[in-house]
Amino acid sequence: MKRTVLKFGGTSVANMERIEHVADIVSQRVKDDGGGFAVVVSAMSGETNKLVGYADEAAGGKLVGDQFDDEYDVVVASGEQVTSGLLALALRKRGFKARSWLGWQLAMRTDEAHGKARILGFEGDEFCDSVDSGEIAVIAGFQGVSGEGRIATLGRGGSDTSAVAAAAALNAEVCDIYTDVDGVYTTDPRIVPKARRMEKISYEEMLELASLGAKVLQTRCVELGMNHNVPIRVRTSFTKDGDEFPGTLVCNEEEIVEKQVVSGIAYSRDEAKFTLLGLPDNPGVAAELFQKLSDAGVNVDMIVQANSRTHGEQNMVFTTADRDAELARQTLENEQERLGFDKLEVNRNVAKVSVVGVGMRSHTGVATLMFKALSEKSINIEVISTSEIKISVLIDDAYTELAVRTLHTAYGLDTE
Amino acid sequence: MKRTVLKFGGTSVANMERIEHVADIVSQRVKDDGGGFAVVVSAMSGETNKLVGYADEAAGGKLVGDQFDDEYDVVVASGEQVTSGLLALALRKRGFKARSWLGWQLAMRTDEAHGKARILGFEGDEFCDSVDSGEIAVIAGFQGVSGEGRIATLGRGGSDTSAVAAAAALNAEVCDIYTDVDGVYTTDPRIVPKARRMEKISYEEMLELASLGAKVLQTRCVELGMNHNVPIRVRTSFTKDGDEFPGTLVCNEEEIVEKQVVSGIAYSRDEAKFTLLGLPDNPGVAAELFQKLSDAGVNVDMIVQANSRTHGEQNMVFTTADRDAELARQTLENEQERLGFDKLEVNRNVAKVSVVGVGMRSHTGVATLMFKALSEKSINIEVISTSEIKISVLIDDAYTELAVRTLHTAYGLDTE
């Protein structure tokens, strides 16, 4: 039997009118296919923030990450519970069999990391039987149940992960993520009006684009889809006729016939560049440096090491998120004596621009084209970092839009 | 170990400020006693109505009582879930160990009558262990879990019942119901300013007073307390110093040393009187009459039958709730031919006044005093009904306040 999972985010279920609209979309899908549907819902938009506000107040401040988190989850998970019941009611009103499923009923088993729990497994026999019987399963997203039998939430955006987990349990043909954008674009359409919606994109490319700031799908949701081979379709709920807006399918590379060398251009402005001058060229000094930053909770992204062997010293360049820049600076200054570097330079006016594409594996000259295109616009490259399917450069952030537009054209991604 | 259950209603947890105040009350109680506490909470006042409104809208109208009810319960039960998490957070902030318990975690087993479920049992081993370990258990009231593993709510006021069920499971010394009144009064203080707060009242008296309209405790909560011998204290949360307002203890008759002959005076204005003239004096005619009303969903309260054997006819008088009066009238008129009565008279301007007291069992002249006192004020009695601990009369509702005040004085209940 064909099984399908649909997921609707907070803006798609923001009020009763939108919930009725979602019920219409689901009704049409069920009529078209005859059954086999599970629907995952988020909380009404704004509701989660309200509940988090209450919980913060009750706890006396923001305390996520400590012993208060299990009760945070009890409070916050109620938002999805409400939406799941309401959508089940709206579907019954339309004459369908439907019922809600909460995290503990599924049972969506998680670890004990309240507020950012990971799904460990899914004892979904009763759930799968229900879906196969023709009953529409309406799942409260974002939540599971911990080993200790407590409600555990999956963190912001966790409903996407719930949906892919449900699709994996059902062995669903596709997991449709309905959202407020109509697909994944070759780059940010606000910067490049000629950006194109991609018909298909591989999991690997989507992961690179998501972690680089194309905030359509949560990283863990894409990872889960890749591990269980669940095709994920990103599409919009803000129109009635779904066929006009087919969205973007995130799937295995093998299923993409016409591969682009480069699929998309991502950028991030939340970057800061650190340069340590005169660091002693001893074994272990890099390990100690990055351990200190890690202990302070700073994530380091790009790292470039440039030795100048004649003096027994080296220069070290790395980047962090700009929001961590002050913390990183303080950490390094506190450790200057111990680490033994001469000088620290911090540049917070930088941006990272990346080209992503699985086609890079089999094509040469991709990086050369990038450097040449940027050079023609006199954009200076400060740092370069590459992976198998991605090339990232750090540039002066004043040139971000120009760089993205230039590369979008250079790799032939512009619409005609 | 001494165990105590505290229950706070919707107005006591109406907002974050009130929840903090409840946390202060609980903190003080725990400090005084050292542990052994379970706290039952309702939803923030207004929240349940909001959720019911959403659910009605999603279902396309008020549909309680049909196949929509299980999803109603999913939506509505979320209100108590939020409050339980918030109070647990507020107690942890004060340095106590605390955790929330939802209906399915307890597990508070109910029947399948969604929206008005009855508690069947309580698998509370883990819960009792937690309370005995010194952790404050914060229970989401109003909810249990059905045999099918769905959330089931206990109906309006059901959090009181949750509290008494928890107290029974814990074998608690007392179940303190904190509410917006400071106890049970000898009658409605709005009508009789000299009404007194009762120190103690028996379960039986409380049941008669509750069913007669003294809306302090839900009937089922008192029944449950009586069956499990749980002393229930009604007290107010709207003051910090609980000692000044000791409330009213609902307990076994045996624990009340100074018994009053009459404990309280109740009244109800939601009454209608039906008189059927010329009903055939055949066996079974009364059974048929009341069966028809029952089938139509009309609850009949007082019944008086006055035969006039010489004519082979009888007159039948009975009362219903005034809100059911039109339904009852239509039902009877539709069946006039079949039932064979001559005429139907309906009087909706009546009220029921009742005196309640376990002392009636051993004292004579209680009824005589009632009739005499009313007669002295020229209040005509239309119907009389008695039980072991209660005498009710039906009167013209214009005399309700006068009758209640007169009886309150006559039975020596006025404060000095």
Side-chain angles (χ1 to χ4, degrees):
Chain A
M1 177 173 192
K2 182 181 168 185
R3 292 145 159 186
T4 311
V5 175
L6 314 178
K7 183 261 171 178
F8 295 89
T11 52
S12 299
V13 294
N15 52 44
M16 289 308 304
E17 191 191 335
R18 300 279 323 147
I19 289 174
E20 294 287 343
H21 178 61
V22 165
D24 287 337
I25 294 177
V26 175
S27 300
Q28 192 57 51
R29 295 289 304 262
V30 174
K31 276 179 198 155
D32 290 347
D33 286 6
F37 278 86
V39 186
V40 178
V41 288
S42 300
M44 294 174 171
S45 73
E47 195 63 21
T48 302
N49 285 340
K50 188 191 84 178
L51 293 167
V52 168
Y54 282 160
D56 282 339
E57 203 177 332
K62 288 189 187 294
L63 292 160
V64 170
D66 67 10
Q67 78 278 17
F68 288 72
D69 285 357
D70 49 348
E71 298 301 338
Y72 259 91
D73 284 354
V74 171
V75 174
V76 175
S78 68
E80 281 73 16
Q81 175 172 330
V82 169
T83 322
S84 66
L86 293 177
L87 182 58
L89 286 169
L91 288 167
R92 289 188 189 176
K93 182 171 61 183
R94 285 161 174 76
F96 295 96
K97 277 176 68 186
R99 69 154 282 192
S100 62
W101 292 87
L102 307 178
W104 57 274
Q105 289 170 328
L106 281 171
M108 187 87 78
R109 297 269 166 213
T110 72
D111 58 20
E112 312 291 324
H114 286 281
K116 50 180 188 301
R118 291 188 77 92
I119 297 172
L120 300 178
F122 192 159
E123 300 162 16
D125 288 352
E126 194 194 344
F127 161 71
C128 292
D129 290 348
S130 163
V131 170
D132 284 347
S133 79
E135 188 171 58
I136 305 170
V138 185
I139 298 176
F142 179 64
Q143 62 183 254
V145 60
S146 76
E148 292 178 353
R150 305 298 308 273
I151 294 175
T153 67
L154 310 178
R156 289 282 165 141
S159 292
D160 289 351
T161 312
S162 302
V164 175
L170 283 171
N171 199 15
E173 206 162 86
V174 68
C175 177
D176 275 10
I177 309 275
Y178 284 86
T179 179
D180 47 4
V181 297
D182 68 349
V184 183
Y185 276 72
T186 48
T187 194
D188 186 343
R190 289 169 302 182
I191 290 187
V192 184
K194 288 182 173 176
R196 280 191 296 107
R197 180 182 54 75
M198 293 184 249
E199 204 176 311
K200 292 183 177 179
I201 181 175
S202 71
Y203 299 115
E204 292 84 350
E205 288 168 318
M206 192 65 215
L207 282 173
E208 293 289 4
L209 288 171
S211 63
L212 291 171
K215 300 158 190 111
V216 181
L217 287 177
Q218 214 206 8
T219 304
R220 275 161 56 195
C221 140
V222 180
E223 283 172 351
L224 197 64
M226 184 163 68
N227 292 339
H228 291 87
N229 200 12
V230 175
I232 304 169
R233 187 187 303 276
V234 176
R235 58 195 306 176
T236 180
S237 67
F238 284 80
T239 167
K240 207 146 190 172
D241 188 354
D243 289 337
E244 277 190 67
F245 294 91
T248 297
L249 191 70
V250 187
C251 59
N252 263 326
E253 196 180 324
E254 291 72 41
E255 288 160 38
I256 304 176
V257 180
E258 286 204 35
K259 292 186 185 67
Q260 304 281 334
V261 177
V262 165
S263 300
I265 317 288
Y267 70 94
S268 161
R269 288 198 147 107
D270 181 26
E271 304 287 332
K273 177 189 169 197
F274 290 76
T275 308
L276 286 170
L277 300 169
L279 196 65
D281 189 14
N282 300 333
V285 72
E288 193 173 351
L289 167 66
F290 294 116
Q291 185 63 50
K292 295 286 178 205
L293 289 168
S294 168
D295 292 347
V298 175
N299 271 323
V300 171
D301 180 16
M302 306 164 105
I303 299 175
V304 177
Q305 187 175 328
N307 289 14
S308 71
R309 297 267 173 206
T310 49
H311 300 90
E313 286 180 349
Q314 58 181 339
N315 297 336
M316 177 78 78
V317 176
F318 63 86
T319 65
T320 71
D322 189 56
R323 60 179 178 275
D324 291 338
E326 262 318 300
L327 178 61
R329 180 205 295 272
Q330 279 167 25
T331 305
L332 291 172
E333 283 176 354
N334 292 342
E335 301 288 338
Q336 179 162 10
E337 200 166 342
R338 186 178 170 78
L339 293 168
F341 58 88
D342 293 334
K343 197 180 168 198
L344 170 64
E345 289 174 359
V346 184
N347 181 359
R348 298 179 62 174
N349 298 317
V350 288
K352 184 168 66 174
V353 177
S354 309
V355 300
V356 174
V358 288
M360 286 185 204
R361 289 191 185 121
S362 48
H363 283 73
T364 54
V366 180
T368 311
L369 177 56
M370 183 178 197
F371 305 150
K372 190 157 165 274
L374 293 175
S375 149
E376 279 170 5
K377 303 289 179 185
S378 305
I379 299 171
N380 192 37
I381 297 173
E382 303 199 19
V383 182
I384 299 170
S385 162
T386 62
S387 79
E388 208 182 349
I389 64 165
K390 182 190 67 172
I391 309 164
S392 300
V393 296
L394 204 70
I395 61 172
D396 183 335
D397 75 349
Y399 293 91
T400 309
E401 289 89 347
L402 178 61
V404 171
R405 270 197 299 268
T406 301
L407 294 172
H408 199 265
T409 305
Y411 287 103
L413 296 174
D414 290 356
T415 48
E416 280 113 48
Chain B
M1 178 173 191
K2 182 180 168 185
R3 293 146 158 185
T4 310
V5 175
L6 314 178
K7 183 260 169 181
F8 295 89
T11 52
S12 299
V13 293
N15 51 46
M16 289 308 304
E17 191 191 335
R18 301 280 321 147
I19 290 174
E20 294 287 342
H21 179 60
V22 166
D24 287 338
I25 293 177
V26 174
S27 300
Q28 192 56 53
R29 294 289 304 264
V30 174
K31 276 179 198 156
D32 291 346
D33 287 6
F37 278 85
V39 186
V40 178
V41 287
S42 300
M44 294 175 171
S45 71
E47 195 63 22
T48 302
N49 286 340
K50 188 192 82 179
L51 293 167
V52 167
Y54 282 159
D56 283 339
E57 203 177 333
K62 287 190 187 295
L63 292 160
V64 171
D66 67 10
Q67 77 278 16
F68 288 72
D69 285 358
D70 50 348
E71 298 300 338
Y72 259 84
D73 284 356
V74 171
V75 174
V76 174
S78 67
E80 282 72 16
Q81 176 172 329
V82 170
T83 321
S84 66
L86 293 177
L87 182 57
L89 287 170
L91 287 168
R92 288 188 191 176
K93 183 172 58 183
R94 285 162 175 75
F96 295 97
K97 277 178 65 185
R99 70 154 280 193
S100 62
W101 291 86
L102 307 178
W104 57 274
Q105 289 170 327
L106 281 171
M108 186 87 78
R109 295 271 166 211
T110 72
D111 59 20
E112 311 292 323
H114 286 280
K116 50 180 189 298
R118 292 187 75 91
I119 296 173
L120 300 179
F122 192 159
E123 298 161 16
D125 287 354
E126 195 193 345
F127 161 71
C128 292
D129 290 348
S130 163
V131 171
D132 284 347
S133 79
E135 188 171 58
I136 305 170
V138 184
I139 298 176
F142 180 63
Q143 62 183 254
V145 61
S146 76
E148 291 178 354
R150 306 296 309 272
I151 293 176
T153 67
L154 310 177
R156 289 283 166 140
S159 291
D160 288 351
T161 312
S162 303
V164 175
L170 283 172
N171 198 17
E173 206 162 84
V174 68
C175 177
D176 276 10
I177 309 276
Y178 285 87
T179 178
D180 47 3
V181 298
D182 68 348
V184 182
Y185 276 72
T186 49
T187 194
D188 186 342
R190 289 169 302 180
I191 290 187
V192 184
K194 287 182 173 175
R196 281 191 296 108
R197 180 182 55 76
M198 292 184 251
E199 205 176 307
K200 291 184 179 179
I201 182 174
S202 71
Y203 298 115
E204 292 86 348
E205 289 169 318
M206 192 65 214
L207 283 173
E208 292 290 4
L209 289 170
S211 64
L212 290 170
K215 301 161 192 107
V216 180
L217 287 178
Q218 214 206 10
T219 304
R220 275 161 56 195
C221 140
V222 180
E223 283 172 352
L224 197 65
M226 184 163 68
N227 292 339
H228 291 88
N229 200 13
V230 175
I232 305 170
R233 188 186 302 277
V234 177
R235 60 195 305 176
T236 180
S237 67
F238 284 79
T239 167
K240 205 144 190 172
D241 187 354
D243 289 336
E244 279 189 65
F245 295 90
T248 297
L249 190 71
V250 187
C251 59
N252 262 327
E253 196 179 325
E254 290 72 41
E255 287 160 38
I256 304 175
V257 181
E258 287 203 36
K259 289 185 185 68
Q260 303 280 333
V261 178
V262 165
S263 301
I265 317 288
Y267 70 95
S268 162
R269 287 200 147 107
D270 181 24
E271 304 286 332
K273 177 190 172 197
F274 289 77
T275 308
L276 287 170
L277 300 168
L279 197 64
D281 188 13
N282 300 333
V285 71
E288 194 174 351
L289 168 66
F290 293 117
Q291 185 62 51
K292 294 288 178 204
L293 290 168
S294 168
D295 291 347
V298 175
N299 270 322
V300 171
D301 180 14
M302 307 164 104
I303 300 175
V304 177
Q305 186 175 328
N307 288 15
S308 69
R309 296 272 175 201
T310 49
H311 300 89
E313 285 181 347
Q314 58 180 339
N315 298 336
M316 178 77 79
V317 176
F318 63 85
T319 64
T320 71
D322 188 55
R323 62 179 176 275
D324 291 339
E326 263 318 299
L327 178 60
R329 181 205 294 273
Q330 280 167 22
T331 305
L332 292 171
E333 284 175 353
N334 291 343
E335 300 287 338
Q336 178 161 13
E337 200 166 341
R338 185 179 169 79
L339 293 168
F341 60 86
D342 293 335
K343 197 180 167 195
L344 170 64
E345 290 174 0
V346 183
N347 181 359
R348 298 179 62 171
N349 297 316
V350 288
K352 184 167 67 173
V353 177
S354 308
V355 301
V356 173
V358 288
M360 286 185 202
R361 287 191 187 122
S362 49
H363 285 72
T364 54
V366 179
T368 311
L369 177 57
M370 182 179 199
F371 304 150
K372 190 156 164 279
L374 294 176
S375 149
E376 280 171 3
K377 301 288 180 186
S378 305
I379 299 171
N380 194 37
I381 297 172
E382 303 198 19
V383 181
I384 299 170
S385 162
T386 62
S387 79
E388 210 183 348
I389 63 165
K390 180 191 70 171
I391 309 165
S392 299
V393 296
L394 202 71
I395 61 171
D396 182 335
D397 75 347
Y399 292 92
T400 308
E401 289 89 347
L402 178 60
V404 171
R405 271 196 299 267
T406 300
L407 294 172
H408 200 265
T409 305
Y411 287 103
L413 297 174
D414 290 355
T415 48
E416 278 112 48

